[in-house]
Amino acid sequence: MSHPLAFMRLPYAVLTMLDSRMYHYWMQPVHYLVRTAHMISMAGFFGIDLVLDVALFRHGGRQALAAVSRLILPWIHSLFAVAMVTGVALFFYDPVHIGSRSYLTPKLLLIAMAMGLVAFSHRRVYRAALGGQPAGTTQARVVAAASLALWTGVIVMSCLNSEGVPKVFLR
């Protein structure tokens, strides 16, 4: 029985083309540092996103959102940048191994969807809430829930791509 997401795997020829042994050997001594930076930045990013999204859920959360956002918006942007750069570096460290699993493409699609949601909702929801409009509107709650769902999905796909699904669940 093949994996249900096998059709989403990146083509093996593309993965081998992206594989650079020189880069792999250059990064090998610092791989654990890059992976650590990736995990910490990803956790920090998700934690900050969680705080912002919870503030959007609250009725009259305008003051809380405005106060919190001034402190943490620079951090969320920086942590996202570190997570993306280190994630790309980790992919190119071993593209054949990472890309051969079935969960990389769904993870990338979820990241793209989450970034699209941010682009769509930044002016309509986040800026409006920071500018004094009520934060707890239905639109803000939908955006907050979608953001949390998408980023949680990214984390789940990352875990599944690293470890795989236990065979007991694939029966």
Side-chain angles (χ1 to χ4, degrees), residues 2 27 30 56 97 147:
S2 74
M27 192 168 145
V30 296
L56 282 174
H97 181 254
S147 174

Side-chain angles (χ1 to χ4, degrees), residues 145-156:
S147 174
L148 287 174
L150 289 169
W151 290 116
T152 300
V154 169
I155 293 170
V156 168

Side-chain angles (χ1 to χ4, degrees), residues 30-102:
V30 296
H31 175 261
Y32 72 97
L33 293 172
V34 175
R35 186 161 174 78
T36 301
H38 183 66
M39 297 304 289
I40 290 170
S41 61
M42 198 171 68
F45 169 80
F46 184 74
I48 293 172
D49 184 60
L50 179 67
V51 168
L52 287 173
D53 291 337
V54 167
L56 282 174
F57 270 106
R58 295 187 55 194
H59 281 294
R62 179 179 24 195
Q63 293 84 9
L65 182 62
V68 165
S69 67
R70 274 187 243 112
L71 296 172
I72 62 178
L73 278 179
W75 285 99
I76 198 169
H77 296 129
S78 300
L79 289 167
F80 180 76
V82 170
M84 292 302 288
V85 168
T86 55
V88 169
L90 289 170
F91 172 77
F92 282 108
Y93 175 70
D94 194 0
V96 173
H97 181 254
I98 294 169
S100 293
R101 297 228 170 109
S102 298

Side-chain angles (χ1 to χ4, degrees), residues 1-10 99-107 156-157 159-171:
M1 178 172 129
S2 74
H3 191 279
L5 296 177
F7 72 95
M8 295 185 92
R9 285 188 179 131
L10 297 174
S100 293
R101 297 228 170 109
S102 298
Y103 298 100
L104 178 66
T105 304
K107 173 186 172 179
V156 168
M157 291 299 147
C159 293
L160 291 174
N161 205 52
S162 295
E163 303 296 327
V165 177
K167 295 199 187 295
V168 71
F169 292 115
L170 294 177
R171 293 180 195 199

Side-chain angles (χ1 to χ4, degrees), residues 103-159:
Y103 298 100
L104 178 66
T105 304
K107 173 186 172 179
L108 297 176
L109 290 172
L110 288 170
I111 290 171
M113 291 169 59
M115 291 173 65
L117 178 69
V118 168
F120 167 76
S121 64
H122 185 69
R123 286 199 175 136
R124 293 181 182 206
V125 176
Y126 292 108
R127 277 218 179 157
L130 294 174
Q133 294 179 6
T137 64
T138 303
Q139 185 180 21
R141 288 182 178 156
V142 169
V143 166
S147 174
L148 287 174
L150 289 169
W151 290 116
T152 300
V154 169
I155 293 170
V156 168
M157 291 299 147
S158 293
C159 293

